[in-house]
Amino acid sequence: MAASSVSQADPTSFNFNVAHVATIQAGLLELASRLNFSVGREIDDLEEYDAAYLQLGDGFPFYLSKYKSRPSNATEVFFASRLNDWEARLEEICSALGIKSSELLWKNVAYTKTP
């Protein structure tokens, strides 16, 4: 599989249901520095977190987040819920980020059931 590029996406374009797909073994700020994308600070009902809204070369949107309480090398991957080819998309994202699929800390095996 050829490596795909990653570019910044507009956070307001994420107006669809998303699912936590995986947790990768990589630091979000290190990825941002290496791949030249920006990271913003957000807060939800749990706590403060860093987030980067991105897209693959074909326009497929996803975002990465890192809660302050999580280990620095644990970055969460989110994208649209209920995709049939979600594992292939996760592989493309990992490839674009320079992450090996063996570096997944967690993978959502119930992804297709996630609303």
Side-chain angles (χ1 to χ4, degrees):
M1 174 186 345
S4 180
S5 64
V6 174
S7 61
Q8 206 78 45
D10 179 3
T12 61
S13 68
F14 286 73
N15 58 355
F16 46 83
N17 286 340
V18 295
H20 181 191
V21 181
T23 302
I24 56 175
Q25 187 171 341
L28 179 56
L29 297 178
E30 185 272 326
L31 285 172
S33 175
R34 185 167 45 85
L35 298 172
N36 197 29
F37 61 78
S38 61
V39 174
R41 179 78 30 106
E42 300 190 15
I43 192 162
D44 64 12
D45 57 336
L46 298 174
E47 66 180 288
E48 200 171 290
Y49 63 97
D50 293 325
Y53 295 87
L54 306 168
Q55 62 187 7
L56 293 176
D58 66 358
F60 181 77
F62 67 98
Y63 74 92
L64 304 175
S65 72
K66 186 341 205 138
Y67 279 99
K68 289 181 81 173
S69 64
R70 303 266 304 155
S72 63
N73 69 337
T75 298
E76 297 168 337
V77 179
F78 291 82
F79 57 70
S81 60
R82 298 183 180 226
L83 295 178
N84 290 330
D85 60 349
W86 73 278
E87 288 179 293
R89 282 303 192 172
L90 179 58
E91 283 291 326
E92 289 175 49
I93 290 168
C94 287
S95 175
L97 297 174
I99 302 295
K100 296 177 185 139
S101 54
S102 62
E103 294 175 323
L104 292 177
L105 297 173
W106 176 82
K107 185 167 138 180
N108 186 352
V109 295
Y111 166 80
T112 54
K113 297 180 177 124
T114 305

